Amino acid sequence: PTAMKVAVVPASSTSGTQCVLDLLTRHESVQVTAGFRSEEKRDVLLAKVSAATAASHGAVNVGDRLRCVVKNLESGEELAQVFDGANAAVIVTPLSSGGFESDSQIACAMINAAADAGVKHVVYVGSWTTLYPDKVPLLASRFAPAETLLQDLASQGRITFTNLRGGYFMTNYVHVLAPSIRSSRSIKAPEISVPACDPKDIGRVAAVASQRCQSQDGDDPYKNANLDISGSELVTFADVASTLSELLGEKVTYTAVPPPPVGSGAPPYIIELMAYLTQAKDAAVPMSSAVSDAVTNTTSLRQFLETNLQAFK
């Protein structure tokens, strides 16, 4: 069989970068094309690949298996070059400067470009929010058009797909909570309970799913499948506070506050999301075993906070 070739785009995202690293270190015959919007982002990934290669003490040989392409990902012509020759593509919803509608249009353009280039299997990194368009319409609108497009292309027999519906990201704990934890060792946040996941785990599952494009198995769990990607435990902000207290060796307090009201100055999608999460409680975000089914270990809250401890010091 010819060498498997996977295009990952944009490869600078947390899940995209982890997917590239996993493809290079765990799937040794795979060739990878990594698509970037800037040379800076490409160089960050190359440094991570070098570190992973060095850490393997010679077990991992990247050689000429990685091709990096810096392109305008909003141009159809340039996208075609990213997917050229690939059997499978991992497409991550981008964060563009134009807001959710623009993100959605670019994701759809990438999926169409992959299908036009002859890619057989598309792994799409989307979101759990598409399951609740009536509860979180703003967030769902960022991902729903791509899901519809994948289903249309699959029903025409042009591609097969794996749609990874990413859950609530553990990285939110760093972005949202780190400043107040650093300054006052305190968390003030609404009471939510979610099976939070490390976005790196989504990249790991994407690497496994991308290998299924040659699969003729009608029962393949990754073929034309929508998978909920979650952690394996429900996490509250009180859990984050107590785990950080242990890891930092200093008490981090948690105070429950109501979700931000309309007119509070919080972005509308955050207002919508927090209202839903506080109201739906433990059932807000789906929990599944998709990560542990694909890779041996799901990242726990403790492991994630330990890895990112510097951000909270």
Side-chain angles (χ1 to χ4, degrees), residues 205-238:
V205 178
V208 171
S210 73
Q211 301 303 293
R212 300 308 183 96
C213 75
Q214 271 108 339
S215 162
Q216 297 309 311
D217 177 0
D219 299 332
D220 190 304
Y222 295 97
K223 199 168 182 179
N224 297 338
N226 299 301
L227 300 179
D228 296 318
I229 306 295
S230 71
S232 55
E233 53 192 353
L234 284 168
V235 174
T236 64
F237 286 122

Side-chain angles (χ1 to χ4, degrees), residues 42-74:
R42 175 199 64 195
D43 293 346
V44 170
L45 178 102
L46 286 173
K48 289 180 177 171
V49 170
S50 300
T53 314
S56 79
H57 303 300
V60 172
N61 177 23
V62 172
D64 55 2
R65 289 169 46 217
L66 175 62
R67 178 175 80 109
C68 289
V69 190
V70 177
K71 295 286 174 197
N72 169 7
L73 301 181
E74 296 177 38

Side-chain angles (χ1 to χ4, degrees), residues 64-137:
D64 55 2
R65 289 169 46 217
L66 175 62
R67 178 175 80 109
C68 289
V69 190
V70 177
K71 295 286 174 197
N72 169 7
L73 301 181
E74 296 177 38
S75 143
E77 230 165 288
E78 297 200 16
L79 274 176
Q81 298 168 36
V82 178
F83 297 115
D84 185 43
N87 332 67
V90 174
I91 293 173
V92 182
T93 308
L95 262 176
S96 68
S97 52
F100 288 176
E101 194 176 344
S102 160
D103 297 346
S104 165
Q105 286 164 349
I106 298 167
C108 288
M110 291 198 283
I111 292 166
N112 276 318
D116 291 343
V119 166
K120 294 286 170 252
H121 188 74
V122 174
V123 180
Y124 172 61
V125 175
S127 166
W128 65 274
T129 54
T130 55
L131 294 165
Y132 306 103
D134 53 329
K135 306 282 188 199
V136 281

